[in-house]
Amino acid sequence: MLYTALLLGLVSSLHCIGMCGPIAMMLPVDHKNPAKKTIQVLVYHLGRLTAYSILGIVFGLLGRGFYLAGMQQQLSIIAGIVMIIIALVPERIFAKYNFSKPIYKLISGIKAGLGNQFKKKGYKALFATGLFNGFLPCGLVYAALFGALAMQNTLYSAAFMFLYGVGTIPLMSAVVFATGVFKTPLRNTMAKAVPYVAVCIGMLFIVRGLGLSIPYLSPGNTSLFVGAVPNCR
């Protein structure tokens, strides 16, 4: 299911250019030196990928507990359902309930740290900007984290979030290199495609959890476990 992380990242970037696009546009990069600018943008992305990977490890450790308890298939189905809900329910509905309130101080600290980095220059500041950016709350990142939670082990969970971040790089880089292209109407049009693809990815996770014995898509129940006695037919 790791390939779905890339797809989800690519689709999420349609949403990101509206939410995080302004942050990318404000990066203190050298616009007169294309080569240096490219390296600076990549350092910023490296910071985001680091943040996503850390989150993947945290959720992977949590998911490992479910895997050892034999709940991996059920967790995959739940993750798919949550992805679909996040994709279909408007963000303003989630905003009413303010799910991030319990960690409001932490989020405020992240935002403050992000703001401070814009006052600095250099690769360290660019990496830190990406790092803080990666930890900012986002509905589609939450959806990706549920996908990481449903992976078989912590390494896969970290890889899932890393690949999710890689999927966001093309469009997020385009925002920096082609600022004038992504006008508000275009961003709104692109964002409309996000729910449809996110729902498809959620359905893939549900199918995976059903154990339909479809190779690489929905492995059967017996292939999900390692036993002392071979399962021969």
Side-chain angles (χ1 to χ4, degrees):
M1 295 297 290
L2 289 176
Y3 67 91
T4 61
L6 277 171
L7 181 58
L8 183 59
L10 182 60
V11 173
S12 295
S13 61
L14 299 175
H15 172 79
C16 289
I17 58 176
M19 300 299 293
C20 299
I23 295 176
M25 293 177 186
M26 292 171 60
L27 291 176
V29 296
D30 189 347
H31 294 284
K32 297 181 180 179
N33 189 329
K36 186 177 180 180
K37 181 179 180 180
T38 300
I39 296 174
Q40 290 172 326
V41 172
L42 289 176
V43 170
Y44 161 73
H45 287 313
L46 181 60
R48 291 196 308 115
L49 294 178
T50 301
Y52 292 148
S53 298
I54 292 172
L55 291 173
I57 292 172
V58 172
F59 275 74
L61 291 172
L62 179 60
R64 180 64 178 167
F66 288 107
Y67 181 71
L68 293 175
M71 298 175 59
Q72 200 68 16
Q73 283 183 284
Q74 295 91 326
L75 190 61
S76 182
I77 294 173
I78 293 172
I81 293 173
V82 171
M83 286 184 181
I84 292 173
I85 292 174
I86 291 175
L88 295 181
V89 177
E91 287 190 9
R92 63 177 181 275
I93 302 298
F94 287 115
K96 289 182 180 179
Y97 296 97
N98 196 11
F99 292 110
S100 60
K101 189 174 181 180
I103 53 173
Y104 180 75
K105 289 185 179 180
L106 177 61
I107 295 173
S108 297
I110 292 173
K111 290 181 177 179
L114 180 61
N116 290 333
Q117 297 308 313
F118 284 117
K119 302 175 184 178
K120 305 175 183 179
K121 291 185 178 181
Y123 293 108
K124 184 177 179 180
L126 287 166
F127 178 86
T129 299
L131 188 69
F132 283 119
N133 191 178
F135 284 123
L136 286 177
C138 172
L140 289 172
V141 172
Y142 296 157
L145 286 173
F146 271 94
L149 189 66
M151 292 293 104
Q152 289 92 338
N153 57 53
T154 306
L155 179 61
Y156 281 156
S157 297
F160 188 93
M161 290 306 298
F162 180 85
L163 291 174
Y164 168 82
V166 171
T168 67
I169 289 178
L171 278 181
M172 288 296 290
S173 298
V175 169
V176 181
F177 287 95
T179 306
V181 175
F182 295 95
K183 301 295 185 181
T184 301
L186 178 59
R187 294 204 302 265
N188 292 338
T189 301
M190 296 172 69
K192 290 179 180 178
V194 173
Y196 298 101
V197 182
V199 166
C200 291
I201 295 174
M203 291 175 66
L204 281 175
F205 271 85
I206 293 174
V207 171
R208 172 177 178 258
L210 292 176
L212 301 177
S213 297
I214 303 174
Y216 305 107
L217 180 62
S218 183
N221 295 343
T222 56
S223 65
L224 295 175
F225 303 97
V226 178
V229 180
N231 179 46
C232 300
R233 294 182 181 178

